[in-house]
Amino acid sequence: MASVPSLASSVNQRVADALASALPEAGGADPLLRRSDRADFQANGILALAKKAKANPRELAATVVEGIPTGDLIEEIEVSGPGFLNITVSDAAIVSTLAARAADDRLGVPLNASAGTTVIDYAQPNVAKEMHVGHLRSAVIGAAMVEILEFTGEKVVRRHHIGDWGTQFGMLIQYLLEHPHELDHKSDSEVSGEEAMSNLNRLYKASRALFDSDEEFKTRARARVVDLQAGEPETLALWQRFVDESKIYFYSVFNKLDMDIQDPDVVGESGYNDMLVETCKLLEESGVAVRSNGALCVFFEDVKGPDGNPTPLIVQKSDGGFGYAATDLSAIRDRVTNLGATELIYVVDARQSLHFKMVFETARRAGWLNDEVKAVQLAFGTVLGKDGKPFKTREGETVRLVDLLDEAIDRASAVVREKAQDLTEAEIAERGAQVGIGAVKYADLSTSAARDYKFDLDQMVSLNGDTSVYLQYAYARIQSILRKAGDARPVAHPEVALAPTERALGLHLDGFGELISEAAAEHAPHKLAAYLYQLASLYTSFYSECPVLKADTAEQVENRLFLCELTARTLSKGMSLLGIRTPEKL
């Protein structure tokens, strides 16, 4: 495994060295190199440095140019405007750098030298409740961040903080106690997620109706909450049945989403029960939390209610019950102390931003978070319907996630069937699932998480435009070319001159590693999606302008096959980090 310095970093280094010798007091200054449409790169940093040193920027730029060797890496360098440097790299440097990337399993992408341990809290469904479209974003964004961070060398601990505790369980458990066969399965063979969820739905509705109409049942249900919180064995055993039944359902949905969720990663609210009393004690003894009207509260200068009075974070209610804050703070203690986290990422709806801001600030005051251990909320926006309003069914109900995924798979299968040349029905079904689920994930991930996005299946499974199907077809097209290549092999030829579309493709391929570290550092999977879309677009231009198998010389054929193969590997790697499959044939 060898990390390969990108052309941009090599050029940057040469300019920085020349700058330091032309203007010693600017040692270590950033030349501000970026991609340019005038040349391959433009360095813009000289203007500000000249101003600081009271020098003429064009003269300083000319001196810097004299100190930069050309020929191997840099082919041409010119001063433009008030002191910008326009830099063109050689074709040979592009191909040689790409050849070094191709020789490495990781495409030359470096590991992050300061990698630590990140705990990601994502995909948090509620026990005994259907997963809806709102659960989609947390799951998809979280899973992509897990993959991206792991690829950079980070140790990632997954945490699914499921809602598996609280007063509603009193009603459910009491009902199950009085109707013991409600969660029985039709047969001993494997239970489907649909069957598990319909059991839970039926039981939830029946127990709710009874709770609302029968005062004596309501009293028994409330007493059952007390038993649950006290850990009474029979009550806990019945509670566990709800959790297990719900997991059958959750896992079936995650499976359909092509997401791998392991049992040890599912640590619900109940997982922190034993810590709640101690968390409150630590907060109260350190003075971080104070008693107010009997409740244990944390106050903030900048958080006030509509009446102008401070709105506190309530850690323990006046009746002794614990709120979400106590659980969330206990989870932070556990993740920092027991899991050794250096960063905590919470992939949670933007509407909970104030709660998390208060929880993180409380944890900082208590010393559980500090400069070495950070917590961030990767807040996401709402999923909207085509009309731009929050996504609901015609009846105004929340849309079931399963229905949405099934419809995406149906639509995608129709697209695959229409284009498929030599696929069997079984292959069409498999590809349809890969394309449909990929389309749903990509639509979510190609929008910045903080923004709302429109859920439009017609657009998502379209072959044109910024969709995963477009990327999957680009990948499958390359595989088809590689299959047709016969005896010709992908081989890099640095001596072969490149056409403009080959250069553009090559320079973009070379930026993969830098893009990955940016997406990881900024928790921005949408930047990876944008990179991959641009890669597929550049490949399409190259493919339409440069014949691959019918190129002029044998070396040119091999070199173009080499570019095709490296593009396919980069597409495949990038898409797998987003949780999207790349079928070999479509």
Side-chain angles (χ1 to χ4, degrees):
M1 193 193 81
S3 83
V4 177
S6 68
L7 292 161
S9 65
S10 304
V11 169
N12 199 56
Q13 190 58 55
R14 293 229 180 148
V15 179
D17 292 347
L19 194 53
S21 64
L23 193 69
E25 62 267 39
D30 185 352
L32 299 179
L33 192 77
R34 59 179 184 76
R35 290 295 307 279
S36 161
D37 46 11
R38 305 264 162 89
D40 295 333
F41 299 102
Q42 190 175 61
N44 301 340
I46 291 175
L47 282 175
L49 291 168
K51 203 171 177 183
K52 218 167 157 187
K54 304 204 170 20
N56 174 323
R58 267 194 82 95
E59 282 171 19
L60 176 59
T63 312
V64 170
V65 169
E66 279 164 31
I68 297 176
T70 56
D72 55 340
L73 168 66
I74 295 174
E75 185 155 287
E76 197 185 341
I77 181 162
E78 55 163 35
V79 179
S80 89
F84 300 127
L85 299 185
N86 284 341
I87 301 165
T88 304
V89 292
S90 69
D91 288 356
I94 294 176
V95 177
S96 306
T97 303
L98 295 181
R101 293 201 176 286
D104 178 51
D105 287 346
R106 293 175 49 82
L107 300 169
V109 176
L111 291 164
N112 176 4
S114 53
T117 298
T118 297
V119 178
I120 301 194
D121 187 325
Y122 68 109
Q124 311 102 343
N126 291 313
V127 165
K129 289 202 178 147
E130 288 256 24
M131 287 176 72
H132 56 77
V133 68
H135 291 115
L136 178 68
R137 298 211 72 184
S138 175
V140 169
I141 295 166
M145 275 320 304
V146 167
E147 296 298 328
I148 291 169
L149 286 169
E150 281 190 334
F151 185 55
T152 65
E154 189 77 7
K155 179 185 173 201
V156 179
V157 182
R158 302 154 169 80
R159 276 293 174 266
H160 307 292
H161 191 88
I162 63 171
D164 65 353
W165 202 250
T167 51
Q168 74 279 19
F169 283 100
M171 172 182 96
L172 295 170
I173 292 167
Q174 189 59 36
Y175 188 86
L176 186 59
L177 194 71
E178 295 173 17
H179 304 82
H181 298 297
E182 285 297 303
L183 288 182
D184 292 357
H185 296 137
K186 294 193 190 88
S187 69
D188 294 338
S189 64
E190 200 173 324
V191 186
S192 71
E194 280 291 313
E195 187 191 333
M197 196 61 237
S198 76
N199 276 346
L200 290 163
N201 266 339
R202 194 181 59 246
L203 194 150
Y204 186 86
K205 285 183 179 141
S207 65
R208 183 85 241 178
L210 199 57
F211 187 86
D212 291 341
S213 64
D214 183 334
E215 281 302 317
E216 288 174 358
F217 176 75
K218 188 182 277 188
T219 307
R220 293 196 297 279
R222 288 192 169 140
R224 186 60 57 188
V225 176
V226 179
D227 292 340
L228 177 65
Q229 285 168 345
E232 192 273 316
E234 185 190 19
T235 305
L236 272 184
L238 290 166
W239 166 81
Q240 189 63 49
R241 285 193 64 189
F242 282 99
V243 175
D244 293 343
E245 192 77 6
S246 298
K247 278 184 174 175
I248 295 173
Y249 162 70
F250 296 156
Y251 291 165
S252 75
V253 179
F254 289 127
N255 199 25
K256 187 163 280 191
L257 258 175
D258 197 10
M259 271 173 61
D260 179 33
I261 291 202
Q262 299 292 334
D263 230 29
D265 303 333
V266 181
V267 182
E269 293 169 19
S270 64
Y272 306 100
N273 284 348
D274 298 348
M275 301 175 69
L276 301 177
V277 172
E278 193 186 4
T279 295
C280 292
K281 188 166 158 252
L282 291 167
L283 291 171
E284 191 167 12
E285 284 174 359
S286 61
V288 172
V290 293
R291 291 277 164 194
S292 171
N293 300 331
L296 185 62
C297 302
V298 183
F299 288 93
F300 306 87
E301 284 295 307
D302 56 344
V303 184
K304 294 189 166 60
D307 56 2
N309 291 330
T311 305
L313 181 71
I314 299 173
V315 186
Q316 191 178 19
K317 301 176 205 151
S318 52
D319 65 4
F322 298 102
Y324 287 128
T327 308
D328 286 334
L329 287 161
S330 299
I332 289 177
R333 279 178 56 213
D334 172 60
R335 290 165 185 185
V336 173
T337 315
N338 301 330
L339 301 176
T342 47
E343 179 169 52
L344 306 175
I345 300 177
Y346 290 77
V347 189
V348 185
D349 191 317
R351 286 170 292 197
Q352 294 187 42
S353 294
L354 179 61
H355 169 77
F356 279 100
K357 184 182 153 190
M358 291 159 84
V359 165
F360 296 162
E361 177 55 32
T362 301
R364 266 191 290 276
R365 291 179 190 176
W368 304 326
L369 295 176
N370 50 46
D371 293 343
E372 273 68 65
V373 186
K374 295 187 198 36
V376 286
Q377 182 191 358
L378 209 179
F380 54 82
T382 310
V383 181
L384 308 172
K386 281 189 195 180
D387 57 2
K389 299 194 175 94
F391 202 29
K392 295 268 198 285
T393 63
R394 286 210 182 92
E395 297 73 49
E397 302 282 316
T398 329
V399 180
R400 293 172 59 205
L401 185 49
V402 180
D403 295 342
L404 207 71
L405 300 178
D406 285 341
E407 192 183 344
I409 292 170
D410 288 346
R411 294 280 186 94
S413 300
V415 171
V416 173
R417 174 172 280 111
E418 200 176 304
K419 296 282 281 189
Q421 268 129 27
D422 49 357
L423 297 180
T424 64
E425 275 303 310
E427 286 173 326
I428 289 173
E430 182 198 19
R431 305 291 197 292
Q434 293 178 344
V435 171
I437 297 301
V440 169
K441 288 181 177 177
Y442 186 85
D444 195 314
L445 293 168
S446 56
T447 309
S448 156
R451 292 176 47 197
D452 301 343
Y453 81 96
K454 281 188 188 166
F455 197 94
D456 178 352
L457 275 175
D458 295 326
Q459 171 53 36
M460 286 179 192
V461 298
S462 159
L463 297 172
N464 306 315
D466 188 0
T467 65
S468 63
V469 194
Y470 177 68
L471 304 185
Q472 286 168 322
Y473 266 101
Y475 177 82
R477 171 186 284 166
I478 298 174
Q479 294 309 320
S480 159
I481 294 171
L482 294 172
R483 282 194 297 273
K484 286 180 190 149
D487 296 338
R489 298 262 61 84
V491 181
H493 286 280
E495 75 284 1
V496 170
L498 299 178
T501 52
E502 289 179 287
R503 289 180 60 87
L505 177 62
L507 285 165
H508 191 68
L509 281 168
D510 186 49
F512 184 57
E514 280 160 359
L515 182 280
I516 291 288
S517 48
E518 195 178 313
E522 296 174 20
H523 309 134
H526 70 279
K527 291 199 162 177
L528 175 53
Y531 171 89
L532 294 169
Y533 174 59
Q534 200 182 347
L535 178 59
S537 307
L538 289 167
Y539 179 77
T540 305
S541 304
F542 154 73
Y543 178 76
S544 63
E545 288 179 28
C546 298
V548 177
L549 301 177
K550 296 201 169 104
D552 297 341
T553 66
E555 288 76 19
Q556 203 175 34
V557 171
E558 292 183 339
N559 204 44
R560 286 179 178 172
L561 281 171
F562 163 73
L563 282 174
C564 288
E565 188 180 59
L566 187 59
T567 301
R569 281 178 61 194
T570 307
L571 273 173
S572 179
K573 184 72 223 173
M575 288 170 77
S576 79
L577 295 178
L578 297 179
I580 300 171
R581 304 264 174 189
T582 40
E584 300 288 308
K585 275 185 183 176
L586 272 176

